[in-house]
Structure formats: C-alpha cells, structure tokens
C-alpha cells in the first residue's frame, strides 16, 4: 500500500534558501557596522528589515521542515501505521480506520504537511514536509470511508 515519508530534497531546498538569506543579512550588517563606504544610511531602513524578516521566516520554515525527519505514515488493511523512529520519542501506532475522522494535506509555500485527525480526544498526528505517493490521499480516504461504511450503527434507532 501507499506510504508518506519525510522529504529530504525539499528540506535541503528550504535550508539552502535559509543559508542564502543568512549570508545576505550578514553582509548587510557587516556593511553597516564596518563601513567601507557610507552605505549605512541606505541599508538601515527597509532593506535590512526585509532581509531580517525573510531570514526569520525561512529559519522557522526550515525548522518545521526538519521536525518530522524520522516519521513515516503507511496505509495498511486495518488502518494507518504512524511510526516515529526518532531517538528520544520511539512511537509506533496503528490508527484504526474507524477511529480516524479525516486525513488531509496542507500546502504552504515551502512544503506539504499531512494531518490525521482522530474522532476521540481531538488527537492529531502530523507529518511535516511530507513526500507522498500520487494516490496516497485517495487510498487513505477510501480506507476511512470503507471503515465508516462497515462500522455498526450505535445509538437509538427508530422502530
């Protein structure tokens, strides 16, 4: 079946943009504090502010892109296998398809994130910077819908 994993190529792309932004910001700061010519008057306003803002945004994005480096999500016949093999966390859970409320993919300018919402306790499972097979979301939704169709109805029924 299908699988979603962490995307190292996208992480390297975001990290390279972060490094490039840091180099530009450092260069602008060097021109201000160690003036070769009088560039400080031209760089102190919006160019430096824009550079620092872009650097902060890219640093946060690269941190989020690396967050789930050891996470994988696999579809099985019983549901979804969520595995986190990080050194300090070690988590391997089978999320039964009947317990899953919805699964979705969120896109931001830098990468895709996979979110699994559970029916009980408002619990969520995440995979930031996800690399997915083409039909992962369709297969996951089919698995969830099939489990919902096969689950017994609870509550009061009319006679």
């Amino acid at each position: 079946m299908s699988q979603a994993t962490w995307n190292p190529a996208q992480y390297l792309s975001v990290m390279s943009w972060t490094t490039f932004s840091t180099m530009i910001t450092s260069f602008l700061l060097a021109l201000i504090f160690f003036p070769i010519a009088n560039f400080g008057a031209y760089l102190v306003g919006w160019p430096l502010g824009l550079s620092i803002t872009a650097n902060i945004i890219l640093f946060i994005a690269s941190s989020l892109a690396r967050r789930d480096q050891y996470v994988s999500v696999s579809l099985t016949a019983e549901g979804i296998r969520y595995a986190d093999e990080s050194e300090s966390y070690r988590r391997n859970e089978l999320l039964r398809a009947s317990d899953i409320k919805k699964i979705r993919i969120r896109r931001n300018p830098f990468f895709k994130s996979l979110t699994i919402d559970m029916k009980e306790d408002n619990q969520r499972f995440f995979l930031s910077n996800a690399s997915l097979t083409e039909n992962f979301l369709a297969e996951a939704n089919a698995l969830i819908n099939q489990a919902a169709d096969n689950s017994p109805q609870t509550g009061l029924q009319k006679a």
Side-chain angles (χ1 to χ4, degrees), residues 82-138:
Y82 181 87
D84 187 347
E85 300 297 326
S86 62
E87 197 65 33
S88 61
Y89 199 58
R90 301 265 186 231
R91 185 176 186 178
N92 191 356
E93 294 191 27
L94 177 64
L95 309 174
R96 293 184 327 174
S98 60
D99 294 339
I100 298 172
K101 185 189 318 185
K102 66 181 169 179
I103 184 168
R104 66 182 183 272
I105 302 209
R106 290 188 175 171
R107 290 177 175 82
N108 65 41
F110 305 106
F111 51 82
K112 294 185 265 186
S113 295
L114 177 70
T115 306
I116 303 169
D117 293 322
M118 304 302 286
K119 289 180 181 174
E120 296 179 14
D121 300 330
N122 289 329
Q123 190 174 11
R124 285 188 172 161
F125 293 86
F126 293 101
L127 172 56
S128 296
N129 188 21
S131 174
L132 308 160
T133 57
E134 288 182 26
N135 53 358
F136 180 86
L137 195 57

Side-chain angles (χ1 to χ4, degrees), residues 11-124:
Y11 169 71
L12 289 176
S13 174
V14 172
M15 197 61 201
S16 67
W17 280 104
T18 304
T19 304
F20 181 67
S21 174
T22 302
M23 288 176 18
I24 290 173
T25 303
S26 300
F27 178 70
L28 291 176
L29 288 171
L31 286 177
I32 291 171
F33 290 117
F34 304 109
I36 298 170
N38 192 13
F39 289 120
Y42 300 108
L43 299 176
V44 171
W46 66 268
L48 182 61
L50 181 65
S51 180
I52 290 172
T53 302
N55 201 9
I56 290 169
I57 291 169
L58 287 168
F59 179 75
I60 291 170
S62 65
S63 296
L64 291 174
R66 185 167 186 215
R67 178 176 62 181
D68 296 328
Q69 184 175 3
Y70 299 104
V71 173
S72 66
V73 177
S74 305
L75 298 179
T76 64
E78 300 85 28
I80 296 177
R81 171 85 43 201
Y82 181 87
D84 187 347
E85 300 297 326
S86 62
E87 197 65 33
S88 61
Y89 199 58
R90 301 265 186 231
R91 185 176 186 178
N92 191 356
E93 294 191 27
L94 177 64
L95 309 174
R96 293 184 327 174
S98 60
D99 294 339
I100 298 172
K101 185 189 318 185
K102 66 181 169 179
I103 184 168
R104 66 182 183 272
I105 302 209
R106 290 188 175 171
R107 290 177 175 82
N108 65 41
F110 305 106
F111 51 82
K112 294 185 265 186
S113 295
L114 177 70
T115 306
I116 303 169
D117 293 322
M118 304 302 286
K119 289 180 181 174
E120 296 179 14
D121 300 330
N122 289 329
Q123 190 174 11
R124 285 188 172 161

